[in-house]
């Protein structure tokens, strides 16, 4: 039915099977859209946020998708600026994942502001002293970069590429992609950093506040570093899931090994910096503000030292070590464990830096705020995941996303 | 956002913030415009297949 649109030589499932899959995931999207509509129509009273607890579950999701979407900017930086040519075989997919993550982040922000019709105020009436304004600027611009990086892949669709203008446009965009990738890296550095900076400058929240360099707290650099370190893990994880779902090998092992190795070294260097930062914060910053570290991990039913150990040791040191050692990195099972742990680790870090910060009491009469999200928050947080699955399914079906797919899945000639 | 907005001030914060913003927008706009114009030129010139 749609075979004319499918990349030449690629084998895809039948259209009815594809349509059923999209319809099932589409139902989840509709659930999320319904919840989003309720929030826009009735307001933020549909959430369990209040004056005491002002960050909904989706703010964690927002920071998490931005962190894992960092694979796009870092892979682009390696491919176009540092000329790591092997990565051309995964860059299209990294860009698509980045596009999904950043469009989801913008969607979440549109839900969070409660009054989406006033979304443009952040540009028109910008508060130039706010790190979040910088985040909004860089996020929007970087989404434009990702769209530009995605366009050539769309234009390479079998039918679109027959149109001479589209063919030339895709070719020319490839030619200047390094300029766009460099701009994207610049923008990513600042918005990833500023998201961390927001936590680091919260002087009223001893759990978050950090010393730093000039106007930038250490969390600024740690957030950028962690996104560059763990983002490629997410790219590799989604690639592995896509391979499992399609039953095909889509990227050669040498590319996966290379990206895993780079990610591993980034994780190890990041986690060393994070450990140093945590020790300095626990032994100097926190006592200096009149607190003891146990204050942040006790007297409540959820946040204990386990979360610190899980984030740094289980989901930081362990995946880093697995990925830097050749023998463990090239073992598919261990590599999968490492990239899953890495993705959990960076999401846990964003959870701690967004939700735990808000939960901890800071005044002597305060109590822990253990917040439970409403179903509308859950639905709007699941929405980007379902949307991402649909976009990946559609792009995989109709676009030449994986340059090595044909070579890796050649049908064996019949010998009889 | 623009110097003609009532809250605009010619201070360092506005210059750094909006300088970076317009710088990034200009690069993206110029790059995209170049690609579109060159694609139109290549199409009308009717040159052979280009490869990438």
């Amino acid at each position: 039915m749609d075979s004319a649109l499918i990349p030449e030589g690629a084998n895809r499932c039948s259209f009815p099977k594809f349509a059923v899959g999209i319809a099932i995931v589409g139902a989840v999207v509709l659930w999320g859209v319904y919840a989003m509509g309720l929030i826009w129509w009735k307001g933020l009273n549909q959430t369990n946020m209040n004056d005491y607890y002002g960050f909904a579950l989706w703010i964690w999701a927002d920071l998490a998708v931005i962190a894992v979407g960092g694979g796009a900017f870092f892979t682009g930086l390696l491919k176009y600026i540092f000329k790591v040519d092997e990565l051309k075989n995964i860059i299209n997919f990294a860009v698509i994942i980045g596009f999904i993550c950043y469009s989801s982040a913008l969607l979440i922000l549109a839900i969070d502001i409660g009054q989406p019709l006033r979304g443009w105020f952040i540009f028109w009436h910008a508060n130039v002293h706010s790190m979040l304004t910088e985040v909004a600027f860089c996020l929007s611009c970087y989404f434009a970069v990702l769209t530009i990086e995605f366009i050539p892949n769309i234009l390479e669709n079998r039918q679109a590429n027959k149109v001479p203008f589209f063919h030339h446009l895709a070719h020319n965009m490839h030619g200047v992609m390094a300029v766009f990738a460099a701009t994207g890296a610049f923008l990513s550095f600042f918005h990833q950093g500023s998201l961390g900076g927001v936590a680091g400058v919260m002087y009223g929240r001893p759990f978050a506040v950090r010393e730093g360099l000039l106007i930038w707290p250490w969390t600024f650099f740690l957030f950028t570093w962690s996104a560059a370190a763990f983002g490629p893990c997410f790219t590799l994880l989604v690639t592995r899931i896509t391979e499992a779902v399609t039953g095909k090998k889509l990227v050669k092992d040498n590319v996966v090994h290379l990206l895993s190795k780079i990610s591993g070294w980034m994780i190890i260097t990041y986690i060393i910096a994070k450990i140093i930062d945590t020790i300095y914060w626990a032994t100097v910053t926190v006592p200096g503000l009149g607190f003891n570290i146990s204050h942040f991990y006790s007297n409540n039913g959820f946040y204990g030292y386990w979360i610190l150990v899980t984030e740094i040791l289980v989901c930081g040191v362990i995946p880093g070590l697995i990925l830097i050692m050749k023998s463990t990195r090239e073992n598919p099972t261990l590599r999968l464990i490492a990239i899953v742990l890495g993705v959990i680790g960076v999401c846990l870090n964003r959870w701690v830096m967004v939700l735990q910060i808000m939960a901890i009491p800071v005044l002597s009469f305060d109590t822990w705020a253990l917040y439970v999200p409403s179903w509308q928050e859950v639905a709007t947080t699941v929405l980007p995941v379902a949307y991402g699955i649909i976009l990946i399914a559609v792009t995989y079906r109709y676009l030449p996303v994986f340059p090595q797919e044909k070579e890796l899945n050649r049908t064996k000639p019949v010998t009889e | 956002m623009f110097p003609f907005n009532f809250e605009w001030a010619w201070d360092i914060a506005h210059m750094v913030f909006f300088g970076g913003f317009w710088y990034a927008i200009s690069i993206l706009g110029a790059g995209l415009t170049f690609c579109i114009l060159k694609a139109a030129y290549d199409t009308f010139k009717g040159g052979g297949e280009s490869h990438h």
Side-chain angles (χ1 to χ4, degrees):
Chain A
M1 189 177 174
D2 59 347
S3 52
L5 292 168
I6 291 172
E8 216 163 338
N11 189 22
R12 298 288 182 267
C13 67
S14 66
F15 185 75
K17 193 175 172 186
F18 174 72
V20 167
I22 294 291
I24 293 168
V25 186
V28 181
V29 169
L30 287 178
W31 180 52
V33 169
Y34 173 64
M36 187 174 76
L38 277 178
I39 291 163
W40 277 350
W41 185 252
K42 295 189 174 179
L44 292 176
N45 60 3
Q46 297 294 299
T47 73
N48 281 348
M49 285 192 286
N50 52 42
D51 290 343
Y52 195 76
Y53 201 97
F55 275 180
L57 178 69
W58 59 52
I59 290 296
W60 161 72
D62 195 72
L63 267 76
V65 293
I66 289 171
V68 295
F73 98 82
F74 191 59
T75 314
L77 185 75
L78 293 169
K79 159 77 179 76
Y80 295 110
I81 309 300
F82 293 109
K83 307 286 181 195
V84 184
D85 203 45
E86 290 96 320
L87 297 179
K88 70 182 178 204
N89 299 306
I90 204 168
I91 186 71
N92 287 343
F93 202 47
V95 165
I96 292 169
I97 294 168
F99 180 88
I100 292 166
C101 289
Y102 278 79
S103 52
S104 300
L106 289 172
L107 176 72
I108 291 169
L109 287 181
I111 300 169
D112 187 62
I113 56 177
Q115 288 260 26
L117 291 179
R118 296 182 186 172
W120 57 281
F121 277 25
I122 201 162
F123 296 101
W124 199 263
H125 305 292
N127 172 8
V128 292
H129 303 288
S130 165
M131 283 201 178
L132 282 179
T133 308
E134 185 192 326
V135 172
F137 279 21
C138 291
L139 210 65
S140 313
C141 291
Y142 185 54
F143 179 61
V145 171
L146 283 169
T147 308
I148 291 169
E149 289 183 345
F150 188 16
I151 287 172
N153 198 210
I154 297 171
L155 298 179
E156 281 163 3
N157 168 268
R158 201 164 142 193
Q159 296 305 319
N161 206 34
K162 286 179 183 167
V163 180
F165 177 75
F166 289 162
H167 176 83
H168 288 300
L169 184 58
H171 173 73
N172 292 332
M173 288 179 82
H174 276 297
V176 295
M177 202 52 85
V179 176
F180 296 127
T183 312
F186 165 80
L187 292 165
S188 279
F189 178 83
F190 279 98
H191 78 250
Q192 298 279 3
S194 288
L195 282 171
V198 168
V201 296
M202 284 187 184
Y203 300 110
R205 302 267 176 186
F207 183 71
V209 72
R210 296 288 192 279
E211 282 85 1
L213 182 70
L214 302 175
I215 61 166
W216 298 288
W218 296 126
T219 46
F220 180 99
F221 304 100
L222 289 173
F223 263 51
T224 303
W225 206 335
S226 59
F230 294 104
C233 280
F234 189 66
T235 306
L236 290 169
L237 177 62
V238 180
T239 305
R240 184 70 198 86
I241 293 169
T242 311
E243 286 182 335
V245 171
T246 58
K248 288 180 193 164
K249 185 130 186 73
L250 300 170
V251 180
K252 281 186 180 174
D253 283 342
N254 68 318
V255 180
V256 173
H257 293 165
L258 177 66
L259 197 56
S260 304
K261 184 180 174 183
I262 293 168
S263 180
W265 280 109
M266 288 295 289
I267 292 172
I268 281 293
T269 50
Y270 159 75
I271 213 70
I272 292 170
K274 174 75 183 168
I275 290 169
I276 294 169
D277 169 75
T278 306
I279 292 171
Y280 184 83
W281 164 79
T283 56
V284 179
T285 312
V286 168
L289 293 167
F291 285 85
N292 187 299
I293 186 175
S294 62
H295 177 77
F296 308 116
Y297 296 102
S298 57
N299 297 323
N300 76 94
F302 183 69
Y303 294 109
Y305 283 107
W306 67 268
I307 204 162
L308 186 65
V309 174
T310 308
E311 182 202 333
I312 292 179
L313 189 65
V314 182
C315 298
V317 175
I318 291 174
L321 288 175
I322 290 175
L323 294 178
I324 60 168
M325 290 187 289
K326 192 171 188 284
S327 57
T328 46
R329 178 174 66 241
E330 294 186 359
N331 178 318
T333 310
L334 286 176
R335 186 175 63 243
L336 183 61
I337 291 171
I339 59 179
V340 169
L341 285 178
V343 171
I344 294 172
V346 74
C347 293
L348 197 58
N349 172 263
R350 292 335 190 232
W351 180 285
V352 166
M353 298 304 281
V354 174
L355 299 182
Q356 190 175 353
I357 285 173
M358 300 297 287
I360 296 167
V362 286
L363 299 171
S364 55
F365 51 83
D366 265 350
T367 53
W368 279 80
L370 293 179
Y371 145 95
V372 179
S374 68
W375 74 263
Q376 291 91 332
E377 290 173 65
V378 175
T380 47
T381 303
V382 172
L383 169 63
V385 180
Y387 146 71
I389 292 170
I390 290 178
L391 196 61
I392 286 175
V394 171
T395 51
Y396 170 73
R397 187 172 178 84
Y398 298 119
L399 304 180
V401 176
F402 298 100
Q404 296 175 318
E405 183 190 349
K406 222 188 287 183
E407 185 190 342
L408 288 167
N409 298 280
R410 264 198 198 114
T411 324
K412 285 179 188 147
V414 182
T415 49
E416 291 178 60
Chain B
M1 189 169 183
F2 299 106
F4 53 79
N5 285 143
F6 72 90
E7 70 267 42
W8 180 273
W10 286 103
D11 56 19
I12 190 72
H14 276 79
M15 284 190 271
V16 169
F17 241 88
F18 283 102
F21 179 67
W22 288 116
Y23 178 62
I25 293 284
S26 305
I27 290 174
L28 299 183
L32 209 51
T33 307
F34 168 77
C35 292
I36 291 169
L37 292 178
K38 189 161 186 306
Y41 173 78
D42 292 343
T43 306
F44 287 117
K45 207 177 90 181
E49 290 287 293
S50 49
H51 300 283
H52 44 80

